[in-house]
Amino acid sequence: MSEGAPADVGGEFEEKVGELRGRRRRNLEMGGSEKIAKQHERGKLTARERIDLLFDPGTFVEFGLLAHQQSLRGNPVDPPEKTPADGVITGHGLVDGRQVWVIAYDFTVMAGSMGAVGESFKTTRVRELALRYRKPIVWLLDSAGARIQEAAGSTFAGSGQLFYDQVQMSGVIPQVAAMLGPCAAGTAYIPGLADFVPMVKGTASMSLGGARLVKAATGEDVTDHDMGGSQVHCYESGVGDNEVENDADCIAAVRRFLSYLPPSNLEPPPWQPADDPGDRNVEGLEKLVPASPRATYDVRKVVQRIVDKDSWFEIKPTWAKNLVIGLARMAGHPIGVVANQPMSKGGILDVDAADKAARFIRLCDAFNVPLVYLMDVPGFLVGSGVEKEGIIRHGAKMLYATSEATVPKVTVVMRKAYGAGYFVMCGKGYGPDLIVAWPFAEISVMGPEGAVNIIFNKVVEASDNPEATRAELVAKIRESISPYVAAAWAMIDDVIEPAETRRVIVQALEQARSKKLDRPWRKHGNIPV
Amino acid sequence: MEVKAELVGNVWKVVASPGDSVEEDDVLMILESMKMEIPVTAPVPGSVKEIRVKEGDVVKEGQVVAVIE
């Protein structure tokens, strides 16, 4: 006992600290062992297990652990031990040593429903601080949606600011919405506005209205999974990005995605040492890429040989497969790849492919990630079907995004560069820092066959041997669309051997590293949507 | 299982015949669209029950061109 201290001080001190420990312990237990067992039975991890996977060990700092449900308008509420942390776990931690903020809905507490405390105070605080420090934000979504007993009534008028905040964050800090369970009703706009949306097969779903609301509103009988599982969003709607097998794979995908991006638009993307020489020849392309422009191949195999070994991270691999996008590294620097995929629909551009490209190009441009275009495009799909789908409006998005992008842009014309496909894949007029072609590239307003049909239709018809005449004319036009004509005009910077592609891109990215383009002031452009 | 054309085009070559057994991703036929050769492949392993088109036919997006059992 120290001199002069009241006799009971040690006891009260311990008691108060003990109470704090008790409160913390209780809330760390989430919805309790039964609910946790149920969560595991569904094949899902708990919110705290997910956070442990997301952050480097021991780096999570929690905000609002001691929160719980509060009474609105004098409504009765559950006792505090029933709503630990108010069903949402918030804070920050390190991902590969860099600060990232998290909002993790806890399905073991009132089905992860969004309560007044969680929404108005806890998640709001995270959004505010992530933006204040310019650090990425990750949502781990597993939530039944709004907690109706708290949200009903016209105080709804005060809700919804989360999406407003997300829009302010857009292009300032990376936003990831990991879909690990249901995400029904208005909260589906969280992934709708996010930059990356991995979805767990089987357990994740998202829809503007949950199954019960749909039944009440329209009479349609459908489950949350059938309406909004990954089989819908990663294959048909394009709202989801990458379908993953389980929670651990989902969190790994989040960490991987973030590894290519800077914390904010004010910083360059993170460089990592690479053990793959930047001047390495690209071997084996002659076995991968048929010189005949009509034949197909898998462009992803080409991408993987060009970029740093094991650095290729494809995004949206199962939607609009005729265009391939993804993040990778070259000489350790992150890049975004936009490549036509001859293996799917011949690599033709359609409405979904244009949307996919435009959104990705804007992501890269917003976060200072240089773009590499690998071009082998027979053009935009034409015909009455795509006109009804608005191909002009959708194709214009890709034109817009490529024109707007001020990050370093490198274009490699591998084989075909036909029509407006050449423009949207960053042709000469779209500000590439380097544009080169492979020796068998064809650059033309259209393919030789189409050109003959239109320009020499009458000559072919008048011929005694129309097929021979047609073949002769096609061969003649094919000569005129070789890359040497464009190179002779210096409209492209060089013709390169395919094996030189990696070295040439690495050099061009280095050349453009200090690029800074100023555009005329405007509030914002008006991208066709 | 029905195999559908993924886009509008001409049937350029029919490779598989009814009764053939096929593995997943085996080429059943090749369409020609926008001057590209676009293979139509078996979505599942099985045997070819029907080929519903012949060379030169025009197919629409989503049209059933073959059936695999």
Side-chain angles (χ1 to χ4, degrees):
Chain A
M1 181 82 40
S2 65
E3 200 184 341
D8 67 338
V9 98
E12 193 183 343
F13 188 104
E14 286 304 325
E15 186 190 316
K16 295 288 186 198
V17 172
E19 183 196 344
L20 169 63
R21 287 180 183 154
R23 283 173 181 261
R24 280 184 169 169
R25 199 179 313 117
R26 190 183 67 202
N27 278 13
L28 285 170
E29 285 166 4
M30 301 176 278
S33 53
E34 262 177 51
K35 293 275 176 62
I36 290 173
K38 243 187 190 167
Q39 177 83 352
H40 288 155
E41 273 167 34
R42 291 189 183 103
K44 301 195 289 186
L45 299 176
T46 65
R48 290 188 186 279
E49 288 166 338
R50 290 165 179 162
I51 286 172
D52 284 345
L53 288 176
L54 176 64
F55 291 131
D56 301 346
T59 63
F60 178 50
V61 177
E62 184 161 359
F63 280 45
L65 168 64
L66 301 178
H68 54 82
Q69 189 186 25
Q70 300 297 318
S71 172
L72 276 178
R73 302 180 298 272
N75 291 347
V77 296
D78 288 312
E81 59 272 22
K82 292 278 186 205
T83 56
D86 203 32
V88 60
I89 299 164
T90 55
H92 63 84
L94 301 181
V95 173
D96 292 331
R98 302 186 303 152
Q99 189 181 99
V100 170
W101 288 77
V102 71
I103 294 173
Y105 289 93
D106 179 357
F107 201 78
T108 68
V109 175
M110 301 181 88
S113 58
M114 296 163 149
V117 172
E119 278 317 295
S120 303
F121 294 93
K122 294 189 64 175
T123 67
T124 304
R125 182 113 173 107
V126 168
R127 293 192 303 272
E128 186 187 339
L129 293 180
L131 194 56
R132 185 182 294 175
Y133 309 132
R134 301 284 196 269
K135 302 296 181 191
I137 184 168
V138 173
W139 285 265
L140 303 179
L141 287 155
D142 187 5
S143 163
R147 199 175 291 160
I148 300 298
Q149 58 271 42
E150 293 180 28
S154 74
T155 52
F156 177 71
S159 67
Q161 201 195 323
L162 74 163
F163 308 127
Y164 179 93
D165 289 351
Q166 270 192 274
V167 174
Q168 309 317 312
M169 292 173 189
S170 178
V172 179
I173 54 174
Q175 303 181 52
V176 175
M179 309 304 295
L180 300 143
C183 180
T187 49
Y189 280 125
I190 295 175
L193 290 164
D195 298 308
F196 181 55
V197 185
M199 286 190 86
V200 179
K201 192 176 177 177
T203 47
S205 66
M206 54 178 154
S207 54
L208 275 194
R212 271 188 290 181
L213 179 77
V214 167
K215 176 74 182 160
T218 69
E220 185 188 358
D221 251 325
V222 66
T223 65
D224 283 334
H225 177 262
D226 287 351
M227 180 166 43
S230 57
Q231 81 288 357
V232 171
H233 289 306
C234 296
Y235 292 82
E236 292 188 54
S237 76
V239 180
D241 285 324
N242 293 37
E243 182 184 62
V244 290
E245 285 300 319
N246 53 45
D247 285 19
D249 286 358
C250 189
I251 307 284
V254 173
R255 288 179 58 100
R256 183 100 194 255
F257 177 78
L258 290 173
S259 77
Y260 297 93
L261 295 182
S264 80
N265 62 334
L266 299 177
E267 297 182 50
W271 176 83
Q272 279 182 9
D275 58 0
D276 193 357
D279 58 358
R280 158 174 71 77
N281 269 352
V282 187
E283 305 291 351
L285 287 176
E286 67 285 353
K287 292 193 195 90
L288 279 180
V289 185
S292 159
R294 285 167 55 87
T296 61
Y297 62 95
D298 186 353
V299 78
R300 292 173 302 183
K301 292 182 180 163
V302 176
V303 174
Q304 278 169 310
R305 278 169 171 73
I306 292 174
V307 302
D308 288 357
K309 197 169 157 277
D310 300 327
S311 74
W312 171 237
F313 180 59
E314 190 177 356
I315 295 175
K316 287 196 193 300
T318 50
W319 184 72
K321 293 192 282 185
N322 40 333
L323 184 114
V324 168
I325 55 169
L327 296 161
R329 287 192 183 77
M330 291 197 78
H333 291 283
I335 57 158
V337 175
V338 181
N340 308 110
Q341 174 58 298
M343 199 179 78
S344 176
K345 296 187 179 179
I348 292 159
L349 293 168
D350 56 10
V351 295
D352 286 348
D355 279 10
K356 179 177 175 178
R359 178 128 172 100
F360 178 72
I361 291 164
R362 300 190 98 213
L363 169 78
C364 292
D365 189 46
F367 293 110
N368 311 315
V369 177
L371 288 160
V372 173
Y373 292 83
L374 299 177
M375 194 185 320
D376 189 355
V377 60
F380 277 95
L381 189 57
V382 295
S384 60
V386 284
E387 292 306 336
K388 282 179 191 154
E389 291 168 8
I391 187 74
I392 298 172
R393 176 166 64 84
H394 291 281
K397 295 179 200 181
M398 200 170 164
L399 275 178
Y400 196 105
T402 289
S403 307
E404 184 185 44
T406 58
V407 288
K409 295 185 281 196
V410 181
T411 305
V412 179
V413 185
M414 300 189 300
R415 293 197 313 179
K416 297 176 302 304
Y418 293 164
Y422 168 71
F423 301 158
V424 297
M425 288 298 290
C426 204
K428 172 72 173 167
Y430 293 78
D433 293 278
L434 183 82
I435 177 168
V436 294
W438 287 359
F440 37 85
E442 298 186 341
I443 305 172
S444 172
V445 65
M446 63 179 71
E449 292 84 356
V452 168
N453 285 347
I454 292 173
I455 307 167
F456 297 111
N457 191 24
K458 285 188 177 151
V459 179
V460 171
E461 275 177 14
S463 166
D464 294 334
N465 187 346
E467 280 320 302
T469 307
R470 183 192 303 277
E472 213 170 278
L473 289 165
V474 164
K476 205 166 155 192
I477 289 182
R478 183 148 273 144
E479 267 169 47
S480 75
I481 66 177
S482 99
Y484 297 109
V485 178
W489 276 89
M491 288 173 177
I492 58 172
D493 297 308
D494 205 358
V495 178
I496 64 166
E497 291 186 30
E500 297 175 291
T501 304
R502 175 175 165 85
R503 174 180 59 76
V504 166
I505 295 172
V506 167
Q507 284 172 338
L509 294 172
E510 206 46 48
Q511 157 206 320
R513 190 80 58 208
S514 62
K515 182 177 182 183
K516 190 173 180 304
L517 272 189
D518 290 319
R519 294 278 159 84
W521 184 89
R522 60 181 166 188
K523 192 171 170 189
H524 57 70
N526 189 11
I527 186 168
V529 289
Chain B
M1 184 179 216
E2 292 179 335
V3 184
K4 293 174 181 171
E6 59 178 353
L7 80 175
V8 59
N10 296 298
V11 180
W12 184 55
K13 266 186 199 163
V14 177
V15 179
S17 314
D20 288 0
S21 67
V22 289
E23 295 299 317
E24 186 178 342
D25 291 336
D26 277 1
V27 175
L28 304 175
M29 65 188 69
I30 298 169
L31 306 182
E32 184 187 49
S33 181
M34 302 283 293
K35 298 297 163 199
M36 288 298 293
E37 295 164 16
I38 295 165
V40 177
T41 56
V44 288
S47 76
V48 179
K49 191 181 174 200
E50 282 178 63
I51 296 283
R52 292 200 184 164
V53 292
K54 57 183 192 308
E55 287 173 10
D57 283 359
V58 175
V59 294
K60 289 183 180 159
E61 182 185 340
Q63 182 178 332
V64 177
V65 292
V67 180
I68 304 283
E69 242 179 352

